[in-house]
Amino acid sequence: MRLTRPTLSPSHPLAIAGVYALISLLLTWPLILHFGDAVPAGGDAWENIWNLWWLRKAIETGQWPFHTDYKYFPYGVNLYFDTIVPLAGLLGAPLQWLGLSLVSTYNVLVLLSFVLSALGMYLLARYLTADTVASFIAGFIFGFCPYHFAHLYGHLNLMWMQWMPFYILFLLKAVEGALGQGEQRFAPTEADATPSPAIGEGWGAEQPAPTQSPALSTQHSALSTLRNALLAGLFLVLNAYSEWTYAIFLGLFTIFYLLYRLWGLRREGRRMVRLIAPLAAMGGLFLLLTAPVLIGTIIEIRTVQYTQLPLTEQLYYSADLYAYITPSTLHPIFGPAVTAIGQRFDAPPGDLVITPGITPLLLGIFALVVWKRRAVRFWGWSALLFIIVSLGPILHIANNTQFTDFNGSMVMPYALLYELPFFSVMRTPMRFAVLVVLALAALAAYAVKYIRARPGGYVTAWLIPAVLLGLIAFEYITVPVPMSPPPQPLTFYHRIHDEGGNFAIAELPMRPMVDYLTYQTISDKPIVGGHLARQPIDKFAQEQPALRYFADGYPAAQDGAVLNGVGAAALAKAGVRYVAVHWWALTEAQKADMHQKLYAVFGNQQPADYAQDQMSVYRTAP
């Protein structure tokens, strides 16, 4: 008897994931060459690396991960509104235990976000179209879109958008399963692309007609629907523990999908009732698994002021309609030419790039023209809805907010959303662009499926899709990705790592700098202040005369509250053992002021100078 070697179909998710992994390595080049010694772009990446370090420490010591005493010594600080990614930390901790450095761990998680984002969209598109080639292109659009690469520049939490298509996939399966229990379902074949609503709405192409007896089929369908609902709830949880903003986005998507779906069934009340159980299971699982963090977040919103941002933040982080058709500023060819245009949009670089690409836009329009089913039109309405929402409270077009001779502004629907819970603390309407890309990816899958089903043999089935994929890849290319090594060497922090006693370090200048977080991953000691996505008031810095004196903008003239060792002694008594001065972060004028302040606080003490690191270190007590 001959044993045959099992083969992996080219359309199998593992095979598709392998291809996406290779594409990830190519499009993030030269990340693979610096896997252990640099991260893409740097910047906020160092804060996310600190998050990985802290989450591993919290797991090892059994601490609540959403509060740390390592920042804002001695009171600590809550991390509900930081860029912490608990799920990434949970996956990153074993990698660190296996010996990977923080830099390598971060890079693994970066690449994982590309692979899983593309794979999730592939699976969703395959459910919708049953076309492997069309689904692969849809996965490429979502997984490697400019929005994703823009957040490669330090925003690991926003890069982790991979769970969104998985959630939508199982949401659709649960809803369509509930609505179709015990009924013959429309199941188009690979060749079917005829936009004929008469033979069904076509919400899911991978739904075979039942072959069992009606009773068994109904029972099996009910269990399958419940399973899909629970999986949808689980993936919504994964979204929340990656980036709460995305979970809120998906909540809005779910409401729109259900309203759209139920409108089509408005005369079939009995079928609507079937949705209650799966939706309750999905929502119940989500609330059960997120309750501790959700409750903590709500308490934080109600009790501290720093979570509430001024309305100008919502305007600043609103999308410009023109940005949807402007090439990515990260593009190696078009980027320099459009940078000047992009600067007019008055937005931070990481949030400026929201274009889905011209080719996906055209494919989306084409799909809406040739397909007439409500299931296809839903994705068109979704794209339009989230474009409108991403524009924020006031319409922006090429950085203009006032139109006509009357200089009037157009108030947008987001102004109403702002009044809802959580939206008032969510400062970035433009990030709804991620759902625009997802909807256009689904439409692109329908468009490619239609093209592949047309007469033409090899040309329509393979050549045209390959050309389309090539055009999309050209629009999305960002290589070479700039790499940023961690600051080295840092002799002082390595030296105090094993120093006994419970003490903290005050870093000067007293600014929320991510560099200080990198140093802390080496020293393993608490620091005064710190860097968060939203900065709370530093109560300890206000209480300590020496820290007030060292603050930027405080006059360098001698302050009696810190002279004769009084300020240093107060720091020592509070638990601050070292004051580290980073000269590289100061201008010449600031250096002169800092020397004067250091003399007032420490007198003639000779600091430990680390010339290679451009820093000096003072002890608060002999």
Side-chain angles (χ1 to χ4, degrees):
M1 177 179 174
R2 293 183 59 186
L3 296 176
T4 58
R5 179 181 299 177
T7 58
L8 194 64
S9 167
S11 64
H12 192 281
L14 288 179
I16 296 296
V19 177
Y20 285 143
L22 291 175
I23 294 174
S24 299
L25 295 177
L26 290 174
L27 293 184
T28 58
W29 187 269
L31 185 151
I32 190 62
L33 301 181
H34 302 277
F35 204 76
D37 57 49
V39 298
D44 288 343
W46 303 117
E47 179 177 7
N48 283 288
I49 284 178
W50 182 92
N51 290 339
L52 296 176
W53 171 82
W54 161 246
L55 288 166
R56 187 208 72 214
K57 181 175 286 292
I59 293 171
E60 292 171 344
T61 58
Q63 299 181 67
W64 178 238
F66 290 91
H67 179 89
T68 182
D69 292 326
Y70 275 81
K71 295 180 183 179
Y72 288 85
F73 174 87
Y75 302 110
V77 67
N78 287 333
L79 302 176
Y80 294 109
F81 282 86
D82 200 16
T83 57
I84 190 168
V85 185
L87 188 57
L90 190 63
L91 296 176
L95 297 178
Q96 296 176 63
W97 295 331
L98 290 172
L100 266 67
S101 67
L102 282 168
V103 167
S104 297
T105 299
Y106 178 85
N107 287 332
V108 168
L109 297 174
V110 163
L111 292 175
L112 190 64
S113 76
F114 285 106
V115 176
L116 290 181
S117 295
L119 179 63
M121 190 65 226
Y122 165 81
L123 294 174
L124 173 58
R126 196 174 71 173
Y127 171 75
L128 296 173
T129 67
D131 188 303
T132 299
V133 173
S135 301
F136 182 86
I137 293 175
F140 185 92
I141 291 172
F142 184 72
F144 303 101
C145 63
Y147 174 93
H148 204 173
F149 273 93
H151 293 294
L152 176 64
Y153 285 60
H155 298 160
L156 182 65
N157 55 319
L158 297 170
M159 286 196 67
W160 268 48
M161 61 193 208
Q162 64 260 29
W163 311 120
M164 301 180 81
F166 285 100
Y167 164 74
I168 294 174
L169 169 63
F170 287 105
L171 171 68
L172 265 60
K173 283 189 173 185
V175 170
E176 299 313 312
L179 294 177
Q181 285 176 16
E183 297 182 9
Q184 179 78 15
R185 297 304 309 276
F186 169 60
T189 65
E190 285 276 356
D192 175 47
T194 304
S196 173
I199 57 173
E201 292 187 338
W203 284 92
E206 291 191 340
Q207 297 184 35
T211 58
Q212 299 171 314
S213 67
L216 289 176
S217 178
T218 300
Q219 182 180 9
H220 179 269
S221 180
L223 292 174
S224 178
T225 296
L226 179 60
R227 180 198 64 194
N228 289 327
L230 292 174
L231 285 172
L234 177 61
F235 278 109
L236 190 59
V237 171
L238 298 183
N239 275 284
Y241 282 124
S242 298
E243 171 55 47
W244 268 97
T245 301
Y246 290 160
I248 296 172
F249 289 0
L250 290 172
L252 188 60
F253 173 91
T254 303
I255 292 171
F256 175 67
Y257 165 66
L258 291 175
L259 290 175
Y260 185 90
R261 197 70 181 89
L262 293 177
W263 176 254
L265 300 172
R266 57 191 180 278
R267 294 183 178 88
E268 302 181 54
R270 292 182 62 183
R271 291 182 69 190
M272 294 185 190
V273 173
R274 298 174 183 172
L275 292 176
I276 295 176
L279 292 178
M282 181 184 76
L285 180 65
F286 174 77
L287 292 175
L288 177 66
L289 296 182
T290 61
V293 178
L294 187 59
I295 292 171
T297 302
I298 293 172
I299 293 173
E300 192 85 348
I301 292 173
R302 296 175 63 89
T303 57
V304 296
Q305 188 175 5
Y306 78 92
T307 63
Q308 305 293 332
L309 299 171
L311 292 175
T312 52
E313 289 274 328
Q314 304 281 342
L315 295 174
Y316 181 65
Y317 287 97
S318 294
D320 192 298
L321 186 60
Y322 195 47
Y324 277 104
I325 59 172
T326 303
S328 169
T329 55
L330 304 177
H331 195 280
I333 298 175
F334 300 136
V338 301
T339 296
I341 299 175
Q343 289 173 345
R344 292 163 50 195
F345 299 157
D346 191 29
D351 287 294
L352 175 63
V353 181
I354 59 173
T355 177
I358 299 300
T359 305
L361 276 171
L362 294 176
L363 283 173
I365 295 171
F366 177 76
L368 293 172
V369 171
V370 299
W371 289 89
K372 305 303 180 184
R373 296 196 181 121
R374 292 189 75 248
V376 180
R377 293 199 299 270
F378 165 76
W379 297 104
W381 287 116
S382 294
L384 179 61
L385 169 66
F386 293 114
I387 286 174
I388 292 173
V389 174
S390 73
L391 299 177
I394 296 177
L395 178 63
H396 294 68
I397 302 179
N399 206 31
N400 293 316
T401 57
Q402 295 180 326
F403 308 96
T404 75
D405 294 338
F406 299 99
N407 292 326
S409 296
M410 180 179 293
V411 178
M412 303 299 289
Y414 189 87
L416 298 176
L417 290 178
Y418 182 80
E419 302 299 326
L420 298 177
F422 298 108
F423 280 88
S424 62
V425 297
M426 208 170 56
R427 62 179 180 174
T428 50
M430 66 173 60
R431 291 175 184 166
F432 274 102
V434 67
L435 284 176
V436 176
V437 177
L438 191 150
L440 286 173
L443 287 172
Y446 282 113
V448 174
K449 177 183 175 68
Y450 184 92
I451 292 169
R452 280 170 48 79
R454 298 306 91 193
Y458 173 82
V459 173
T460 54
W462 297 101
L463 183 58
I464 293 178
V467 170
L468 291 171
L469 181 59
L471 290 173
I472 296 167
F474 176 73
E475 289 192 71
Y476 286 5
I477 191 170
T478 61
V479 293
V481 172
M483 302 299 295
S484 176
Q488 294 291 341
L490 295 167
T491 310
F492 166 68
Y493 298 99
H494 286 286
R495 183 177 68 78
I496 67 171
H497 178 273
D498 296 321
E499 186 172 325
N502 297 319
F503 63 89
I505 306 166
E507 310 276 9
L508 302 180
M510 291 184 59
R511 302 168 189 165
M513 296 170 59
V514 294
D515 304 79
Y516 299 162
L517 304 184
T518 306
Y519 306 154
Q520 188 178 50
T521 64
I522 300 171
S523 70
D524 198 25
K525 306 300 180 187
I527 60 174
V528 174
H531 182 281
L532 293 173
R534 303 185 188 189
Q535 296 298 132
I537 295 173
D538 190 345
K539 182 181 176 182
F540 183 66
Q542 293 180 338
E543 293 173 345
Q544 287 292 319
L547 296 180
R548 291 199 306 269
Y549 184 53
F550 282 130
D552 287 340
Y554 197 94
Q558 291 189 351
D559 187 330
V562 302
L563 295 175
N564 302 316
V566 174
L571 287 175
K573 183 177 180 180
V576 178
R577 182 175 296 181
Y578 295 105
V579 174
V581 187
H582 301 277
W583 299 108
W584 57 266
L586 301 170
T587 65
E588 292 302 319
Q590 290 171 338
K591 288 178 183 178
D593 285 348
M594 183 61 72
H595 279 297
Q596 187 172 343
K597 290 180 178 181
L598 290 168
Y599 180 78
V601 174
F602 295 106
N604 292 320
Q605 180 184 147
Q606 291 299 313
D609 289 318
Y610 299 86
Q612 72 274 28
D613 298 331
Q614 301 182 60
M615 66 180 293
S616 301
V617 179
Y618 292 80
R619 287 188 67 104
T620 57

